[in-house]
């Protein structure tokens, strides 16, 4: 009896900001919606965390919830702190600013894990290389949260494209090993016995 084929493991993306109540839960909700709209639900797992423990167990900031709700995004969030042990289970760790990028890469157990950490706005082709941070809206007002959401949406399209390509590459069978070279062997006549 043939065994059932195991479903491929999902592509796992974790968004990380400082306290996991403003930027990263916003990015998590937006990217999850984009992935679902692209038909990738079940193939992509999305979550978020903070570099610090200050808000562990709290929900998202009310202004984050307000901005997401106003734009039709769903969210159900509980803040938590990113752990270095998570790297092995993640495909991408998306930092919301360069400070998070440095902290996460320093936390990575291996160079391969450090290479998984990327800046979100690097996926937005219209963002200048010196403007890759999503500014923290925490000390601002509703307009700052709206601006944050716009940056996240713009970058999420490019990120979705990159994740789709990574998923396609996983589905492409590895090239077959090259066949051993064929050498022509001239048979030798058996020796005659005397």
């Amino acid at each position: 009896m043939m065994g059932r084929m195991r479903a491929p493991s999902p592509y796992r993306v974790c968004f990380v900001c400082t306290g996991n109540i403003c930027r990263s839960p916003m990015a998590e909700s937006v990217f999850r919606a984009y992935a679902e709209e692209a038909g990738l639900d079940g193939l992509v797992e999305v979550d978020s965390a903070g570099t610090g423990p200050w808000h562990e167990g709290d929900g998202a900031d009310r202004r984050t919830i307000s901005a997401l709700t106003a734009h039709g995004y769903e969210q159900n969030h509980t803040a938590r702190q990113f752990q270095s042990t998570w790297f092995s289970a993640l495909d991408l760790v998306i930092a919301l600013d360069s400070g998070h990028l440095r902290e996460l890469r320093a936390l990575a157990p291996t160079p391969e894990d450090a290479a998984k950490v990327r800046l979100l706005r690097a996926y937005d082709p219209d963002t200048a290389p010196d403007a890759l941070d999503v500014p923290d809206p925490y000390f601002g007002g509703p307009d700052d949260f709206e601006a944050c959401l716009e940056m996240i949406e713009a970058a999420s399209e490019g990120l979705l494209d990159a994740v789709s390509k990574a998923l396609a590459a996983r589905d492409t069978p590895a090239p077959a090993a090259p066949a051993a070279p064929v050498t022509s062997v001239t048979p030798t006549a058996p020796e005659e016995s005397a």
Side-chain angles (χ1 to χ4, degrees), residues 4-5 18 25 42 45 52 92 100 115 176 179:
R4 289 171 55 186
M5 282 188 64
T18 306
E45 268 183 24
L92 273 179
H100 306 134

Side-chain angles (χ1 to χ4, degrees), residues 49-190:
T51 56
W54 310 282
H55 299 285
E56 276 192 303
D58 295 346
D61 186 287
R62 61 180 170 73
R63 298 162 296 175
T64 295
I65 295 169
S66 179
L68 289 169
T69 304
H71 291 272
Y73 295 108
E74 294 179 15
Q75 70 83 41
N76 179 12
H77 179 72
T78 303
R80 61 199 187 129
Q81 183 178 8
F82 188 88
Q83 304 298 316
S84 64
T85 55
W86 298 356
F87 273 105
S88 61
L90 294 168
D91 294 288
L92 273 179
V93 180
I94 303 295
L96 275 290
D97 71 29
S98 51
H100 306 134
L101 181 80
R102 282 190 300 275
E103 281 186 66
L104 290 162
R105 286 187 172 164
L107 195 62
T110 68
E112 293 77 22
D113 289 327
K116 295 176 183 180
V117 185
R118 311 280 172 77
L119 279 169
L120 176 61
R121 292 195 77 198
Y123 291 95
D124 180 356
D126 296 327
T127 299
D130 61 346
L132 294 177
D133 288 355
V134 176
D136 190 351
Y138 185 76
F139 295 105
D143 289 348
D144 298 292
F145 281 80
E146 283 294 323
C148 180
L149 181 59
E150 286 175 20
M151 290 177 196
I152 288 168
E153 287 177 327
S156 290
E157 292 179 24
L159 176 58
L160 182 65
D161 186 51
V163 168
S164 296
K165 286 177 180 168
L167 282 166
R170 276 185 174 180
D171 292 340
T172 305
V182 177
T183 54
S184 87
V185 177
T186 307
T188 55

